DNA sequence: CTATGGCCCTGGTTGC
DNA sequence: TGCAACCAGGGCCATA
């Protein structure tokens, strides 16, 4: 098992990268695995970024956004999605880290996009807010002001989806992944197979608070690490994995009631529940064929 | 609108 | 001990 970058890990990456990157100038580009660019030509990336300066490093959903500028004018942005195993690290200019898929030479050192499994993506956009761009369809930020209990209740009621896959849908809510959905549902005492439109106002309130508390605590602990793979850009592992309530704890006691945590598969994803704290909903009636 | 399944990938784990 | 099969999974796409 490796680590899975979700909102807290991406936020940690952006925070730790910021002081090492803002103000740096990009000197050159070396694309070792072209598919990382998601269809963008390496020459286009090179032309767009060489000579530009890093103006800001921020996060939206699970994207790291590296804003670029030339003089006072915007020079677009690098949109980086870590997917399963991606990492962004700043190394000495002569370092050759393993699994480097893209190397961006800086005026001091080099920024590497490392990615064992090659699912991650890094590409340049002239306008990160482009309505055709990858950020446009994303739902609200779970730590943003618009993510309220009232909004969540109405949004869930307006859909007829299984709860967990809906929470993983980045166009519904942006930033949650498999781990933090399982953790949040457990805290809120909701079953992952519950129907979204069966979640009442009280339960929606619990879920909204659980999501925010889980994400905030994980950010404080700089994300979750499972093994030697995941490191923050500073080279340190996160520590939130020690707080897991259900994720990866199959057969072990629920921290709330002591019942054995169970593992099931929901929408092709490993899912962890306490059978006592999170009672299963009545089975869905499938439409006749 | 909602759900399902395939695809991309490779290191670690499991099974024999 | 060695080696092959298997598994994990976020986002995207085609299909029903």
């Amino acid at each position: 098992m490796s680590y899975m970058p979700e909102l807290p890990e991406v936020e940690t990456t952006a925070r730790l990268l910021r002081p090492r990157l803002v103000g740096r100038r990009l000197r050159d580009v070396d694309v070792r695995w072209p598919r990382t660019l998601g269809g963008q030509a390496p020459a286009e990336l090179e032309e767009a970024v060489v000579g530009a300066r890093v103006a800001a490093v921020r996060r939206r959903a699970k994207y790291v956004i590296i804003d670029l500028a030339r003089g006072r004018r915007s020079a677009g942005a690098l949109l980086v999605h870590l997917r399963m195993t991606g990492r962004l690290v700043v190394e000495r200019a002569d370092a050759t880290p393993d699994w480097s898929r893209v190397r961006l030479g800086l005026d001091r050192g080099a920024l590497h996009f490392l990615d064992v499994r090659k699912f991650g993506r890094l590409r340049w956009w002239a306008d990160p807010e482009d309505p055709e761009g990858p950020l446009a369809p994303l739902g609200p930020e779970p730590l943003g002001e618009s993510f309220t209990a009232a909004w969540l209740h109405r949004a869930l009621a307006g859909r007829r989806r299984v709860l967990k896959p809906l929470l993983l849908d980045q166009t519904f809510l942006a930033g949650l992944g498999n781990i933090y959905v399982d953790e949040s549902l457990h805290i809120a005492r909701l079953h992952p197979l519950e129907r979204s439109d069966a979640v009442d106002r009280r339960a929606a309130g619990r879920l909204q608070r659980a999501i925010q508390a889980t994400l905030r605590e994980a950010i404080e602990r700089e994300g979750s690490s499972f093994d030697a793979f995941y490191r923050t850009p500073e080279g340190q592992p996160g520590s939130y994995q020690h707080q897991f309530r259900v994720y990866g704890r199959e057969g072990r006691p629920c921290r709330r009631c002591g019942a054995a945590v169970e593992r099931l598969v929901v929408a092709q994803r490993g899912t962890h529940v306490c059978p006592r704290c999170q009672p299963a909903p009545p089975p869905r009636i499938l439409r006749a064929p």
Side-chain angles (χ1 to χ4, degrees):
Chain A
M1 186 172 338
S2 61
Y3 87 113
M4 283 169 280
E6 304 182 23
L7 189 155
E9 290 77 20
V10 180
E11 178 68 28
T12 299
T13 297
R15 286 183 182 186
L16 297 183
L17 227 38
R18 192 169 296 136
R20 305 179 143 243
L21 231 40
V22 171
R24 299 272 68 77
R25 193 170 298 277
L26 282 79
R27 284 226 180 290
D28 50 77
V29 174
D30 183 7
V31 179
R32 279 87 178 256
W33 185 259
R35 300 179 79 152
T36 299
L37 303 189
Q40 185 161 56
E44 185 187 353
L45 174 69
E46 182 171 359
E47 185 180 5
V49 307
V50 170
R53 175 176 48 82
V54 176
V57 180
R58 56 199 171 101
R59 177 194 63 76
R60 166 77 170 111
K62 299 181 199 171
Y63 287 87
V64 175
I65 305 174
I66 302 174
D67 291 297
L68 304 178
R70 294 180 190 275
R72 311 178 61 171
R73 297 213 328 280
S74 166
L78 295 169
L79 299 188
V80 186
H81 199 301
L82 275 31
R83 291 282 178 94
M84 304 296 298
T85 55
R87 294 173 53 198
L88 285 167
V89 297
V90 177
E91 300 279 3
R92 292 170 37 147
D94 59 356
T96 55
D98 290 339
W99 306 301
S100 175
R101 308 309 182 188
V102 178
R103 179 188 185 276
L104 299 166
L106 307 171
D107 48 8
R108 240 180 63 200
L111 173 65
H112 291 264
F113 181 61
L114 316 178
D115 191 13
V116 172
R117 292 187 193 171
K118 300 177 176 174
F119 284 178
R121 293 292 180 263
L122 177 156
R123 63 167 298 173
W124 176 83
W125 287 80
D127 173 15
E129 313 306 324
D130 186 338
E132 304 294 316
L135 305 186
L138 294 171
E141 283 288 324
L143 294 178
E145 288 185 3
S146 67
F147 181 63
T148 62
W151 177 87
L152 181 60
H153 179 232
R154 289 187 60 87
L156 292 172
R159 308 292 294 271
R160 294 181 168 193
R161 296 273 303 272
V162 174
L163 189 52
K164 174 166 174 174
L166 182 57
L167 294 173
L168 289 172
D169 182 341
Q170 302 296 299
T171 67
F172 180 79
L173 185 63
L176 294 181
N178 203 40
I179 295 170
Y180 296 107
V181 164
D182 279 7
E183 294 298 300
S184 300
L185 288 171
H186 177 256
I187 294 170
R189 282 175 278 125
L190 282 164
H191 195 281
L193 288 173
E194 188 61 86
R195 290 176 52 121
S196 64
D197 55 352
V199 177
D200 66 22
R201 198 168 6 154
R202 284 177 57 93
R206 293 201 306 274
L207 182 56
Q208 189 266 353
R209 291 191 299 275
I211 289 170
Q212 292 203 332
T214 301
L215 295 177
R216 287 199 177 109
E217 194 182 345
I219 289 169
E220 266 181 42
R221 293 171 185 272
E222 300 191 325
S224 309
S225 299
F226 296 96
D227 61 20
F229 274 133
Y230 174 58
R231 289 295 182 272
T232 70
E234 296 292 332
Q236 300 299 314
S239 67
Y240 188 73
Q241 67 277 12
H242 303 302
Q243 312 298 314
F244 287 165
R245 292 157 175 84
V246 285
Y247 188 85
R249 300 191 66 246
E250 181 184 8
R252 302 180 60 196
C254 168
R255 296 194 200 277
R256 183 193 286 125
C257 78
V261 171
E262 291 180 357
R263 183 180 188 277
L264 55 153
V265 174
V266 177
Q268 274 88 251
R269 290 190 172 84
T271 298
H272 310 78
V273 297
C274 168
R276 198 182 297 167
C277 295
Q278 299 166 271
R284 299 188 89 170
I285 310 298
L286 298 176
R287 272 198 303 272

